[in-house]
């Protein structure tokens, strides 16, 4: 079993840095420095640059590799080991590939956090992930994951997942461009909101991040 | 809708090149040249080298990126576009994340093939993927995928999936180290067998591949 997540919880804001231009990604990371608890990156950025980007960004903020790993245990282990070796503080994995794969991720993660997808925030997430979300959340608990991913687009589902996972962290994507509200997600039990385009696509990146940090502080203080 | 798969079907053998040493991976690819219909690579090799490896290997054999993409439609599109731009002839995606994501993959793939995971060959594959395999296979058909991935470790499941997908291709992993038989998979309806360690871990790589090609030829001629 992993220790509880050691991720800081200062601003409750995680930037989804879904840029594929490496130089721009680093510039945005610099702009939000100190305003985000973590930066989440995905495969398109790694493909268009290299895995060295994980290391470079990890010097600016804790990096969560949103690799949505969904493979057999041995491949899962190899992916998580490499992400952590390159500086990732967390890796996101799927549980629908089974407990043995999630357990392999947790074992390979050492001091880093494994976050498990329960249901997904896009329309297609209703087809297979939502009907299985309770069981996927239980896999996260049973395998010693640090937390789960639950959709800000369906805040009532965050409250539901919270009842299953107890003290595990909830990271909630879908705020902003996808229509979810930061306040609703946090009031319903999310520990962090994950925001992408509404920050990195804003005319003033830092101002957009500051507004979300303010909204998050208000939401948590009035919970 | 995509056109039917244009992948050649000469030897019915796909090498799962699960090596993380880039130089060794290229050496093995050279050794099996002409003996495999495709080479399947996964994220660990991309992480330990770079996405340029897709391009380099694609000069030796058609490359299938076994990225098991399991993300929202927009991220799926970005991953598939980049893999194809770098030379991939095929990309493997999950249907568990919903039809919209699979459709995004097919649309982004242009002339390349999208293969959809039905159920997985490892023990954890029984938890969520197998109970949903029929519906996942239907998503592959409905979204215009070129084929599906079905486990050689459970050949009766290949026959079952064949009845659902009609003329789509079946690629079947789990042969060799995981216990599946090439002959059983092919006789039950697989178009290709995917073999990893039993080839790249063999004392004589080329001889191991040749033996499998012979076994495949026998199995298909006696079907």
């Amino acid at each position: 079993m992993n220790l509880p997540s050691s991720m800081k919880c200062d601003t409750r804001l995680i930037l989804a840095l879904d840029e594929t231009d490496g130089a721009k990604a680093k510039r945005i990371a610099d702009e939000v420095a100190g305003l985000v608890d973590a930066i989440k990156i995905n495969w398109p950025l790694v493909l268009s640059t290299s895995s060295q980007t994980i290391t470079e960004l990890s010097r600016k903020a804790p990096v969560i590799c949103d690799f949505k790993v969904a493979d057999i245990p041995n491949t899962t282990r190899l992916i998580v080991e490499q992400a952590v070796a390159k500086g990732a503080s967390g890796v996101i994995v799927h549980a629908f590939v089974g407990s043995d794969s999630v357990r392999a991720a947790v074992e390979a993660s050492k001091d880093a956090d494994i976050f498990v997808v329960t249901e997904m925030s896009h329309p297609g997430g209703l087809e297979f992930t939502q009907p299985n979300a309770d069981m996927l959340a239980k896999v996260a608990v049973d395998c010693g994951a640090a937390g789960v991913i639950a959709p800000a687009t369906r805040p009532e589902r965050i409250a539901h997942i919270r009842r299953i996972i107890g003290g595990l962290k909830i990271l909630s994507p879908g705020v902003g461009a996808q229509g979810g509200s930061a306040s609703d997600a946090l009031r319903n039990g999310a520990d962090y909101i994950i925001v992408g385009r509404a920050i990195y696509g804003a005319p003033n990146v830092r101002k957009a991040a500051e507004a979300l940090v303010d909204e998050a502080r208000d939401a948590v203080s009035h919970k």
Side-chain angles (χ1 to χ4, degrees), chain A:
Chain A
M1 290 280 276
N2 258 14
L3 294 168
S5 167
S6 58
M7 199 161 89
K8 64 179 179 168
C9 199
D10 293 344
T11 65
R12 297 175 177 271
L13 181 59
I14 296 171
L15 169 64
L17 190 48
D18 293 331
E19 269 293 340
T20 50
D21 177 330
K24 201 172 166 195
K26 277 173 237 169
R27 206 165 54 239
I28 292 165
D30 283 330
E31 288 190 60
V32 299
L35 283 175
V36 296
D37 284 336
I39 291 176
K40 180 177 85 68
I41 64 167
N42 202 317
W43 287 120
L45 181 60
V46 173
L47 281 172
S48 66
T49 60
S50 83
S51 55
Q52 188 56 27
T53 300
I54 303 169
T55 312
E56 289 166 17
L57 290 173
S58 72
R59 296 187 188 119
K60 304 173 191 293
V63 170
I64 297 172
C65 287
D66 184 5
F67 287 168
K68 293 197 178 66
V69 186
D71 218 310
I72 60 171
N74 191 50
T75 307
T76 298
R77 178 181 62 76
L78 291 171
I79 294 171
V80 171
E81 275 177 359
Q82 287 200 50
V84 172
K86 285 173 200 307
S89 298
V91 182
I92 297 176
V93 308
H94 275 291
F96 72 79
V97 290
S99 317
D100 47 3
S101 291
V102 176
R103 204 162 284 121
V106 170
E107 282 167 11
S109 66
K110 296 186 182 164
D111 294 337
D113 290 333
I114 295 298
F115 301 108
V116 171
V117 178
T118 56
E119 70 185 74
M120 295 180 72
S121 56
H122 67 298
L126 297 170
E127 294 174 29
F128 298 97
T129 67
Q130 190 185 88
N132 289 286
D134 291 17
M135 284 190 292
L136 297 170
K138 277 183 200 130
V139 171
V141 175
D142 293 346
C143 296
V148 303
I149 313 293
T153 48
R154 302 176 201 122
E156 75 287 358
R157 298 289 303 164
I158 299 176
H160 175 76
I161 296 288
R162 171 58 73 205
R163 287 191 284 274
I164 298 171
I165 62 164
L168 264 61
K169 299 289 183 197
I170 297 182
L171 283 56
S172 195
V175 170
Q178 283 187 62
S181 141
S183 309
D184 286 351
L186 291 163
R187 286 203 193 101
N188 278 276
D191 295 286
Y192 302 91
I193 46 165
I194 303 175
V195 187
R197 273 170 283 179
I199 296 177
Y200 70 76
N204 187 323
V205 166
R206 194 161 176 88
K207 207 171 254 180
E210 282 170 343
L212 280 156
V213 171
D214 288 345
E215 183 183 345
R217 192 183 303 114
D218 273 6
V220 173
S221 66
H222 292 97
K223 204 155 69 163

